[in-house]
Amino acid sequence: LSFSLSLPLSLSPPVRSGHPVTTYYQVSLSILAVCESGSPISEAYVDNFTEATNKKKFGIDTNAVAALALRCLELRSLKAIRPVRNSLLRLALDLNCARDEWGSTEGIYSAGLAMQALLRNQEHVPVDLWDTEGLRQNISDAIHSGLFNISIAAAQLLPAMVNKSYLDVLFVECPAVVLDEAPVGEQGKSTVVYEIVQGTDSHRIELQVNVGSTILDVMEAAQKSEPQTFKFTKEHTVWGWYITAIGGTDAEPSKRTYWEFLVNNEPITVGVAVYKVKADDLIVAKFSTY
């Protein structure tokens, strides 16, 4: 993997209209991975990367990964200290200024990466400026409500919760773990109602599903029962399954449309493959705009 990642980083990065032919998040993550593996990174990449961090306005996640990558470069002394340190200062200050955004319930998925980046740049932003009881309480509430049941979200948050970051991974010794046998699945059936709503049109079906079933399980049962009405398509993303179409109607990001899911009239806060339904739940897939 290190060899595969380092190949494109040994050349000048491909750009189009002043931007890399990818996202800056991916560039940052690649540089972080290659840096931690000890593989070489060309001066052209380091120059372009530090220049981009000074000129571009990144989102929180990209900002955080870029700060981790630059910190790794600084530790490896792959670049004269001043350009990297200046970029790190800017990124760390930007993350601290956005504290109310990534520390809120709405932006809590970005908290893990932001905290990791700030933990490794304490000389620029002291921990006590951002690591407050309110932040920890918001994170605790989000964990207990199931927001971090998605594996990638948990993986980003867990290091920060124990004051670690991705930069510590090379120094972690993992003890051998003997896993217990997987528990037997929950028994019994539950009755739920599944409905799709598009404008003034709606279709509803009552289903018997296994206890412990997810919304995705319900959708598959409905599709099997009435495929003409409830057929759907899905796409796997790093955040889990994303529903791309139901009943022949596509979600179109270019038109800002998507399929919103509600259970008992409340929007779900986790993915359809994670949310477990209960007896008598009303699950609604509503074609919506954002």
Side-chain angles (χ1 to χ4, degrees), residues 6-15 20-21 41-49:
S6 66
L7 284 178
L9 298 192
S10 64
L11 306 172
S12 295
V15 296
V21 189
I41 302 175
S42 73
E43 284 292 313
Y45 258 92
V46 177
D47 289 339
N48 285 358
F49 189 57

Side-chain angles (χ1 to χ4, degrees), residues 1-289:
L1 286 174
S2 298
F3 177 73
S4 298
L5 279 172
S6 66
L7 284 178
L9 298 192
S10 64
L11 306 172
S12 295
V15 296
R16 182 182 299 143
S17 301
H19 298 273
V21 189
T22 179
T23 66
Y24 281 108
Y25 180 89
Q26 292 171 321
V27 171
S28 302
L29 198 60
S30 294
I31 292 177
L32 175 61
V34 173
C35 178
E36 289 211 53
S37 74
S39 300
I41 302 175
S42 73
E43 284 292 313
Y45 258 92
V46 177
D47 289 339
N48 285 358
F49 189 57
T50 54
E51 182 180 357
T53 61
N54 290 321
K55 292 184 177 180
K56 310 294 183 182
K57 182 65 176 177
F58 292 159
I60 293 172
D61 290 351
T62 302
N63 189 323
V65 178
L68 287 169
L70 284 174
R71 180 60 174 158
C72 185
L73 291 176
E74 184 179 56
L75 292 173
R76 274 188 53 183
S77 299
L78 293 180
K79 180 67 177 175
I81 196 74
R82 187 179 298 276
V84 172
R85 181 157 288 265
N86 289 344
S87 295
L88 275 174
L89 174 60
R90 179 182 180 277
L91 292 172
L93 291 176
D94 283 351
L95 282 172
N96 187 54
C97 289
R99 157 68 176 76
D100 289 342
E101 184 177 345
W102 56 261
S104 68
T105 302
E106 293 76 14
I108 204 70
Y109 281 132
S110 295
L113 290 176
M115 292 169 68
Q116 287 192 52
L118 288 172
L119 283 168
R120 292 312 303 258
N121 288 283
Q122 296 182 36
E123 65 269 38
H124 300 307
V125 179
V127 172
D128 57 7
L129 289 182
W130 57 269
D131 194 2
T132 63
E133 289 186 10
L135 171 63
R136 294 284 176 166
Q137 185 61 55
N138 283 349
I139 292 173
S140 178
D141 292 344
I143 292 172
H144 286 97
S145 67
L147 288 180
F148 287 93
N149 287 352
I150 303 170
S151 298
I152 189 171
Q156 291 175 352
L157 179 66
L158 185 57
M161 294 299 288
V162 292
N163 297 318
K164 301 290 184 181
S165 77
Y166 290 159
L167 298 186
D168 295 295
V169 71
L170 295 179
F171 309 103
V172 175
E173 294 184 8
C174 297
V177 176
V178 178
L179 298 177
D180 296 329
E181 292 185 5
V184 177
E186 297 174 89
Q187 303 298 312
K189 297 283 186 178
S190 295
T191 300
V192 298
V193 175
Y194 174 50
E195 182 178 20
I196 57 174
V197 177
Q198 184 179 357
T200 58
D201 295 331
S202 64
H203 302 277
R204 179 178 288 206
I205 185 173
E206 185 176 289
L207 298 161
Q208 291 277 320
V209 296
N210 293 327
V211 171
S213 292
T214 64
I215 291 177
L216 188 59
D217 294 327
V218 172
M219 296 176 69
E220 289 173 344
Q223 177 177 247
K224 184 177 180 180
S225 179
E226 297 184 25
Q228 292 297 324
T229 302
F230 295 101
K231 182 179 180 180
F232 71 95
T233 58
K234 63 186 187 293
E235 176 182 299
H236 197 267
T237 72
V238 293
W239 291 100
W241 287 109
Y242 173 71
I243 304 304
T244 54
I246 301 177
T249 300
D250 295 330
E252 298 186 58
S254 62
K255 296 181 179 179
R256 302 175 68 84
T257 60
Y258 72 109
W259 283 99
E260 178 185 16
F261 286 86
L262 305 96
V263 175
N264 302 324
N265 297 316
E266 293 291 333
I268 65 173
T269 56
V270 295
V272 294
V274 175
Y275 190 103
K276 291 187 177 183
V277 300
K278 302 184 297 295
D280 301 321
D281 273 350
L282 169 62
I283 300 105
V284 176
K286 182 180 179 183
F287 192 64
S288 306
T289 59

